Short mmCIF file of all heavy atoms in Angstrom, two decimals:
data_model
loop_
_atom_site.label_atom_id
_atom_site.label_comp_id
_atom_site.label_asym_id
_atom_site.label_seq_id
_atom_site.Cartn_x
_atom_site.Cartn_y
_atom_site.Cartn_z
N ARG A 1 87.53 72.13 73.61
CA ARG A 1 88.96 71.69 73.81
C ARG A 1 89.86 72.77 73.22
O ARG A 1 91.03 72.33 73.02
CB ARG A 1 89.13 70.49 73.17
CG ARG A 1 88.52 69.24 73.77
CD ARG A 1 89.11 68.95 75.09
NE ARG A 1 88.57 67.71 75.76
CZ ARG A 1 89.21 66.99 76.41
NH1 ARG A 1 90.47 67.20 76.74
NH2 ARG A 1 88.61 65.84 77.04
N GLN A 2 89.47 74.02 73.23
CA GLN A 2 90.53 75.06 72.84
C GLN A 2 91.44 75.36 73.94
O GLN A 2 92.54 75.92 73.65
CB GLN A 2 89.73 76.27 72.28
CG GLN A 2 89.03 76.00 70.96
CD GLN A 2 90.05 75.62 69.85
OE1 GLN A 2 91.01 76.36 69.56
NE2 GLN A 2 89.76 74.58 69.32
N HIS A 3 91.04 75.09 75.12
CA HIS A 3 91.88 75.26 76.20
C HIS A 3 91.79 74.05 77.20
O HIS A 3 90.88 73.57 77.52
CB HIS A 3 91.46 76.50 77.11
CG HIS A 3 91.63 77.82 76.33
ND1 HIS A 3 92.77 78.41 76.10
CD2 HIS A 3 90.72 78.63 75.67
CE1 HIS A 3 92.61 79.54 75.39
NE2 HIS A 3 91.43 79.63 75.16
N ASN A 4 93.10 73.67 77.61
CA ASN A 4 93.16 72.46 78.55
C ASN A 4 94.12 73.04 79.70
O ASN A 4 95.28 73.33 79.41
CB ASN A 4 93.91 71.27 77.86
CG ASN A 4 93.13 70.89 76.72
OD1 ASN A 4 91.91 70.44 76.81
ND2 ASN A 4 93.60 70.96 75.46
N ILE A 5 93.56 73.02 80.82
CA ILE A 5 94.31 73.46 82.05
C ILE A 5 94.63 72.33 82.84
O ILE A 5 93.70 71.63 83.39
CB ILE A 5 93.42 74.45 82.84
CG1 ILE A 5 92.99 75.64 81.95
CG2 ILE A 5 94.37 75.08 84.08
CD1 ILE A 5 94.15 76.38 81.26
N TRP A 6 95.85 72.02 83.08
CA TRP A 6 96.40 70.86 83.70
C TRP A 6 97.04 71.32 85.11
O TRP A 6 97.53 72.36 85.21
CB TRP A 6 97.69 70.21 83.01
CG TRP A 6 97.12 69.64 81.62
CD1 TRP A 6 97.12 70.55 80.52
CD2 TRP A 6 96.79 68.50 81.16
NE1 TRP A 6 96.84 69.84 79.40
CE2 TRP A 6 96.55 68.51 79.80
CE3 TRP A 6 96.78 67.24 81.85
CZ2 TRP A 6 96.23 67.48 79.05
CZ3 TRP A 6 96.41 66.18 81.06
CH2 TRP A 6 96.20 66.28 79.64
N SER A 7 97.01 70.42 86.11
CA SER A 7 97.66 70.61 87.33
C SER A 7 97.91 69.41 88.13
O SER A 7 97.07 68.48 87.99
CB SER A 7 96.87 71.61 88.17
OG SER A 7 97.64 72.00 89.36
N TYR A 8 98.93 69.34 88.92
CA TYR A 8 99.12 68.21 89.86
C TYR A 8 98.27 68.43 91.15
O TYR A 8 98.46 67.80 92.15
CB TYR A 8 100.58 67.96 90.22
CG TYR A 8 101.17 67.36 89.06
CD1 TYR A 8 102.28 68.02 88.29
CD2 TYR A 8 101.00 65.97 88.73
CE1 TYR A 8 102.94 67.32 87.19
CE2 TYR A 8 101.64 65.38 87.65
CZ TYR A 8 102.55 66.02 86.90
OH TYR A 8 103.26 65.45 85.81
N GLN A 9 97.65 69.66 91.26
CA GLN A 9 96.92 70.06 92.32
C GLN A 9 95.40 69.60 92.13
O GLN A 9 94.77 69.76 91.06
CB GLN A 9 96.78 71.58 92.54
CG GLN A 9 98.16 72.14 92.62
CD GLN A 9 98.76 71.83 93.90
OE1 GLN A 9 98.22 71.87 95.00
NE2 GLN A 9 100.00 71.36 93.86
N PRO A 10 94.71 69.05 93.23
CA PRO A 10 93.28 68.73 93.11
C PRO A 10 92.53 69.82 93.16
O PRO A 10 92.86 70.91 93.69
CB PRO A 10 93.17 67.72 94.34
CG PRO A 10 94.19 68.17 95.24
CD PRO A 10 95.31 68.71 94.45
N VAL A 11 91.26 69.71 92.76
CA VAL A 11 90.19 70.76 92.85
C VAL A 11 89.56 70.68 94.32
O VAL A 11 89.38 69.49 94.79
CB VAL A 11 89.08 70.48 91.85
CG1 VAL A 11 87.93 71.53 92.05
CG2 VAL A 11 89.74 70.61 90.40
N GLU A 12 89.57 71.76 94.91
CA GLU A 12 88.93 71.86 96.27
C GLU A 12 87.58 71.20 96.28
O GLU A 12 86.79 71.55 95.43
CB GLU A 12 88.93 73.18 96.89
CG GLU A 12 90.35 73.76 97.30
CD GLU A 12 90.25 75.04 98.11
OE1 GLU A 12 89.17 75.56 98.30
OE2 GLU A 12 91.28 75.43 98.50
N GLY A 13 87.36 70.31 97.16
CA GLY A 13 85.96 69.67 97.31
C GLY A 13 85.60 68.63 96.17
O GLY A 13 84.60 67.97 96.30
N GLU A 14 86.53 68.47 95.27
CA GLU A 14 86.30 67.48 94.24
C GLU A 14 87.53 66.43 94.20
O GLU A 14 87.18 65.29 93.61
CB GLU A 14 86.07 68.09 92.79
CG GLU A 14 84.94 69.01 92.69
CD GLU A 14 84.71 69.65 91.29
OE1 GLU A 14 84.81 68.77 90.38
OE2 GLU A 14 84.67 70.78 91.29
N GLY A 15 88.68 66.81 94.52
CA GLY A 15 89.78 65.89 94.32
C GLY A 15 90.37 66.11 92.91
O GLY A 15 90.15 67.09 92.29
N PHE A 16 91.10 65.07 92.42
CA PHE A 16 91.67 65.05 91.16
C PHE A 16 90.48 64.79 90.15
O PHE A 16 89.72 63.79 90.31
CB PHE A 16 92.69 63.99 90.94
CG PHE A 16 93.88 64.38 91.71
CD1 PHE A 16 94.26 63.63 92.87
CD2 PHE A 16 94.73 65.38 91.29
CE1 PHE A 16 95.39 63.96 93.62
CE2 PHE A 16 95.93 65.79 92.09
CZ PHE A 16 96.23 65.05 93.23
N VAL A 17 90.22 65.62 89.13
CA VAL A 17 89.28 65.40 88.20
C VAL A 17 89.73 65.64 86.71
O VAL A 17 90.77 66.20 86.56
CB VAL A 17 88.16 66.43 88.47
CG1 VAL A 17 87.41 66.30 89.85
CG2 VAL A 17 88.58 68.02 88.32
N SER A 18 88.93 65.21 85.84
CA SER A 18 89.13 65.54 84.42
C SER A 18 87.63 65.80 83.97
O SER A 18 86.80 64.85 83.89
CB SER A 18 89.64 64.27 83.57
OG SER A 18 89.73 64.65 82.27
N ARG A 19 87.45 67.13 83.70
CA ARG A 19 86.14 67.40 83.37
C ARG A 19 86.02 68.84 82.57
O ARG A 19 87.06 69.75 82.69
CB ARG A 19 85.27 67.60 84.64
CG ARG A 19 85.53 68.77 85.57
CD ARG A 19 84.48 68.99 86.57
NE ARG A 19 84.68 70.00 87.53
CZ ARG A 19 84.39 71.27 87.36
NH1 ARG A 19 83.94 71.76 86.17
NH2 ARG A 19 84.58 72.25 88.39
N PRO A 20 84.85 69.04 81.95
CA PRO A 20 84.81 70.32 81.25
C PRO A 20 84.57 71.49 82.14
O PRO A 20 84.07 71.28 83.26
CB PRO A 20 83.60 70.10 80.34
CG PRO A 20 82.90 69.06 80.90
CD PRO A 20 83.79 68.13 81.68
N LEU A 21 84.99 72.54 81.76
CA LEU A 21 84.54 73.95 82.45
C LEU A 21 83.34 74.36 81.92
O LEU A 21 83.14 74.33 80.60
CB LEU A 21 85.74 74.98 82.15
CG LEU A 21 86.98 74.64 82.90
CD1 LEU A 21 88.19 75.63 82.22
CD2 LEU A 21 86.83 74.98 84.35
N ARG A 22 82.41 74.84 82.70
CA ARG A 22 81.15 75.29 82.29
C ARG A 22 81.16 76.88 82.31
O ARG A 22 81.91 77.38 82.98
CB ARG A 22 79.94 74.78 83.14
CG ARG A 22 79.96 73.27 83.12
CD ARG A 22 78.92 72.75 84.34
NE ARG A 22 79.38 72.99 85.61
CZ ARG A 22 80.21 72.21 86.26
NH1 ARG A 22 80.62 71.19 85.66
NH2 ARG A 22 80.44 72.47 87.52
N PRO A 23 80.38 77.50 81.34
CA PRO A 23 80.32 78.94 81.47
C PRO A 23 80.13 79.52 82.73
O PRO A 23 79.26 78.87 83.62
CB PRO A 23 79.19 79.25 80.42
CG PRO A 23 79.26 78.13 79.65
CD PRO A 23 79.46 76.91 80.33
N ASP A 24 80.85 80.44 83.21
CA ASP A 24 80.75 81.08 84.54
C ASP A 24 81.34 80.23 85.63
O ASP A 24 81.07 80.41 86.70
CB ASP A 24 79.33 81.61 84.73
CG ASP A 24 78.83 82.62 83.86
OD1 ASP A 24 79.64 83.40 83.47
OD2 ASP A 24 77.68 82.56 83.45
N ASP A 25 82.10 79.13 85.25
CA ASP A 25 82.71 78.33 86.25
C ASP A 25 83.86 79.00 86.96
O ASP A 25 84.59 79.86 86.30
CB ASP A 25 83.41 77.15 85.59
CG ASP A 25 82.93 75.75 86.19
OD1 ASP A 25 82.23 75.82 87.21
OD2 ASP A 25 83.27 74.82 85.46
N ARG A 26 84.01 78.77 88.22
CA ARG A 26 85.12 79.37 89.09
C ARG A 26 85.64 78.19 89.85
O ARG A 26 84.98 77.80 90.79
CB ARG A 26 84.66 80.54 89.85
CG ARG A 26 85.75 81.28 90.66
CD ARG A 26 85.17 82.42 91.38
NE ARG A 26 86.21 83.07 92.18
CZ ARG A 26 86.57 82.71 93.35
NH1 ARG A 26 86.14 81.64 93.95
NH2 ARG A 26 87.58 83.33 93.93
N VAL A 27 86.73 77.57 89.45
CA VAL A 27 87.30 76.42 90.13
C VAL A 27 88.52 76.85 91.01
O VAL A 27 89.39 77.44 90.36
CB VAL A 27 87.67 75.38 89.00
CG1 VAL A 27 88.23 74.09 89.68
CG2 VAL A 27 86.34 75.04 88.31
N VAL A 28 88.55 76.23 92.22
CA VAL A 28 89.65 76.66 93.07
C VAL A 28 90.40 75.32 93.09
O VAL A 28 89.98 74.33 93.58
CB VAL A 28 89.21 77.24 94.43
CG1 VAL A 28 90.36 77.52 95.28
CG2 VAL A 28 88.32 78.36 94.25
N LEU A 29 91.79 75.34 92.90
CA LEU A 29 92.71 74.30 93.14
C LEU A 29 93.16 74.26 94.68
O LEU A 29 93.15 75.38 95.26
CB LEU A 29 93.80 74.47 92.25
CG LEU A 29 93.50 74.34 90.77
CD1 LEU A 29 94.88 74.42 89.81
CD2 LEU A 29 92.71 73.03 90.36
N LYS A 30 93.58 73.20 95.06
CA LYS A 30 94.21 73.15 96.44
C LYS A 30 95.18 74.15 96.88
O LYS A 30 95.14 74.77 98.00
CB LYS A 30 94.77 71.74 96.75
CG LYS A 30 95.17 71.47 98.19
CD LYS A 30 95.83 70.00 98.37
CE LYS A 30 96.19 69.99 99.68
NZ LYS A 30 97.04 68.64 99.95
N ASN A 31 95.92 74.51 95.84
CA ASN A 31 97.02 75.58 96.18
C ASN A 31 96.37 76.99 96.23
O ASN A 31 97.19 78.00 96.33
CB ASN A 31 98.16 75.53 95.22
CG ASN A 31 97.82 75.81 93.87
OD1 ASN A 31 96.52 76.08 93.44
ND2 ASN A 31 98.79 75.78 92.87
#
């Protein structure tokens, strides 16, 4: 919880989520 990234944009392929980032994660927002 040292970094919290917020957006009104959903995650591509997932929608709106609240979840941890995993090491080597690369998440693309709708924008």
Side-chain angles (χ1 to χ4, degrees):
R1 290 292 188 146
Q2 289 302 304
H3 295 286
N4 302 297
I5 308 299
W6 302 82
S7 184
Y8 287 112
Q9 301 295 310
V11 173
E12 284 190 0
E14 295 181 53
F16 292 109
V17 298
S18 178
R19 70 165 177 85
L21 290 163
R22 296 174 293 279
D24 300 320
D25 236 351
R26 185 178 180 277
V27 178
V28 180
L29 300 178
K30 182 180 177 187
N31 64 357

